[in-house]
Amino acid sequence: MKPEARIAVTLSASLVAQFDDVLDARSPAEFAEDHVPGALCCAVLDDAERAQVGTLYKQVSRFAAQRIGAALVARNIARHLETTLADKPRTWRPLVYCWRGGKRSASLAHVLREVGWDARVLQGGYKAYRRYVVERLAERPGRFTFRVVHGVTGSGKSRLLRALARAGAQALDLEALAAHRGSVLGHLPAQPQPSQKMFESQLLAALDRLDPARVVYVEGESRKIGQLQVPSALIEAMRASECVLLEAPLETRVALLMDEYRHFFSDPQALAAQLDCLAALHGHERIAAWKRLAADGDWPAFVARLLDEHYDPAYRRSAMRNFPRLGEAAVLHVAAPDDAAFARLAEELA
């Protein structure tokens, strides 16, 4: 192997922007759990092949594992050259990484450099990248001035964030990153939540796109969004921040939630399963009453009762306790459950 095939670069905030593509040489399962946002999966060993080589290494010998592994790696790299990488120009500059910046990334980078591309290896591989994400998320949130959007469930907080982004303001949509609306009925249809590591990778990438000199709008979340944990440094920064409070009449809130939860209307079993999670808090009698409204298709009444008996009391218990500056928040009134109303509110703020 030529020495330059192992030329390594150290991770920094602007590193990825210096390359045309980032190639992840790890297995598809490793890639699925977490990867550098925007990276291409260019596995030099798939999941089964990686297990096969590992077994040979443990049960037979290092030589046997390397002999079989080399053949597999060569075939897989050849396939990537003929497919994923077939249209890359002569001036293409890729950054390659694997688990620790070892043989998998070095092998791929070596072949790419033999072709004529200026391929570099990420020093320390994914492990170094993961350490970098954790360290950055511990200090990065403290650099921003957040303005936290509050309001009871159904007041349109996420819609306001989207309207603010369209109006040119900076918005950090944690629920979009987490693929969850942050409530008992908050999971999105056919869209599983990312892993905790992937959520943190996407969060850091989103923060790095923001300008610390400008205000960032964010929804007042709890420490958990579905099954995912919001990093402590971000939660603490949000809780110390200025707040904006959305207020909307009940009929507007019901209309907004009926739009967001429409997928439950055609899947009563999924709805019932989610409601059962609240039995310890509300008792079986109240849960049964909610289910009857759903079974009868009386969705406005179902949503209104859920707001009155579950969501609003929960909000009152937690909001003032967790966000001490909420009492001094500027109040915005949502006039209607349509995009135009939120566009007007965004223009007022932005």
Side-chain angles (χ1 to χ4, degrees):
M1 181 180 298
K2 293 182 179 180
E4 64 267 24
R6 281 189 175 273
I7 290 177
V9 292
T10 304
L11 199 60
S12 66
S14 61
L15 174 66
V16 172
Q18 300 172 23
F19 294 88
D20 297 312
D21 283 302
V22 179
L23 308 183
D24 190 324
R26 300 175 303 154
S27 70
E30 293 171 293
F31 182 86
E33 182 185 16
D34 184 30
H35 55 266
V36 175
L40 302 176
C41 183
C42 286
V44 299
L45 293 172
D46 66 24
D47 299 316
E49 291 165 347
R50 183 171 175 240
Q52 177 189 359
V53 171
T55 300
L56 283 171
Y57 185 91
K58 292 178 181 179
Q59 298 183 359
V60 181
S61 68
R62 178 178 180 177
F63 172 77
Q66 291 183 155
R67 180 173 58 82
I68 296 298
L72 295 171
V73 166
R75 280 197 289 269
N76 288 328
I77 293 177
R79 187 181 70 256
H80 294 317
L81 289 170
E82 294 167 346
T83 56
T84 306
L85 310 180
D87 62 348
K88 302 302 180 184
R90 169 68 183 83
T91 56
W92 181 60
R93 295 185 71 243
L95 174 65
V96 185
Y97 71 91
C98 60
W99 176 245
R100 286 179 298 207
K103 289 187 176 181
R104 287 186 288 178
S105 57
S107 298
L108 178 55
H110 169 69
V111 174
L112 297 181
R113 292 185 67 83
E114 287 297 306
V115 171
W117 290 310
D118 183 16
R120 304 298 177 101
V121 173
L122 176 61
Q123 183 176 324
Y126 170 79
K127 289 189 70 176
Y129 164 74
R130 176 61 188 162
R131 185 166 58 250
Y132 169 81
V133 170
V134 172
E135 291 172 354
R136 291 277 288 180
L137 286 178
E139 56 87 18
R140 183 73 170 159
R143 300 185 182 184
F144 291 96
T145 299
F146 292 104
R147 188 168 295 167
V148 185
V149 179
H150 280 274
V152 290
T153 300
S155 56
K157 299 182 290 295
S158 295
R159 292 184 185 232
L160 179 59
L161 287 183
R162 293 193 292 269
L164 283 163
R166 289 192 295 268
Q170 295 196 126
L172 178 63
D173 194 336
L174 294 174
E175 292 185 358
L177 294 174
H180 198 281
R181 294 195 176 100
S183 66
V184 68
L185 301 181
H187 76 274
L188 304 181
Q191 189 176 351
Q193 289 195 268
S195 70
Q196 179 68 35
K197 292 178 180 179
M198 192 70 244
F199 171 62
E200 291 173 6
S201 287
Q202 293 170 341
L203 173 58
L204 179 58
L207 289 173
D208 281 340
R209 290 192 293 268
L210 299 174
D211 181 0
R214 299 172 57 206
V215 168
V216 177
Y217 290 90
V218 63
E219 185 173 337
E221 303 288 354
S222 63
R223 290 188 179 273
K224 290 189 71 176
I225 304 176
Q227 298 301 310
L228 300 177
Q229 194 86 16
V230 180
S232 295
L234 178 56
I235 282 289
E236 297 309 316
M238 289 164 55
R239 290 183 174 179
S241 298
E242 178 184 345
C243 300
V244 174
L245 179 63
L246 286 181
E247 289 188 350
L250 179 60
E251 58 269 24
T252 296
R253 297 171 61 201
V254 169
L256 289 171
L257 284 182
M258 285 183 63
D259 182 56
E260 290 184 355
Y261 294 163
R262 191 166 299 279
H263 54 282
F264 280 118
F265 298 175
S266 58
D267 193 353
Q269 289 185 334
L271 176 60
Q274 291 301 110
L275 294 177
D276 284 338
C277 297
L278 299 174
L281 184 62
H282 292 284
H284 294 286
E285 185 176 345
R286 177 174 287 179
I287 299 296
W290 293 346
K291 288 181 179 180
R292 284 194 296 272
L293 290 172
D296 293 341
D298 192 350
W299 297 110
F302 167 77
V303 172
R305 280 199 63 172
L306 203 61
L307 288 172
D308 180 59
E309 297 173 350
H310 173 66
Y311 284 117
D312 289 1
Y315 178 81
R316 288 192 292 268
R317 285 194 301 269
S318 65
M320 288 297 295
R321 181 178 71 248
N322 293 327
F323 292 87
R325 299 183 65 180
L326 183 55
E328 60 192 55
V331 178
L332 298 177
H333 297 279
V334 182
D338 54 46
D339 289 342
F342 286 96
R344 288 191 293 271
L345 291 176
E347 288 175 4
E348 290 182 33
L349 286 174

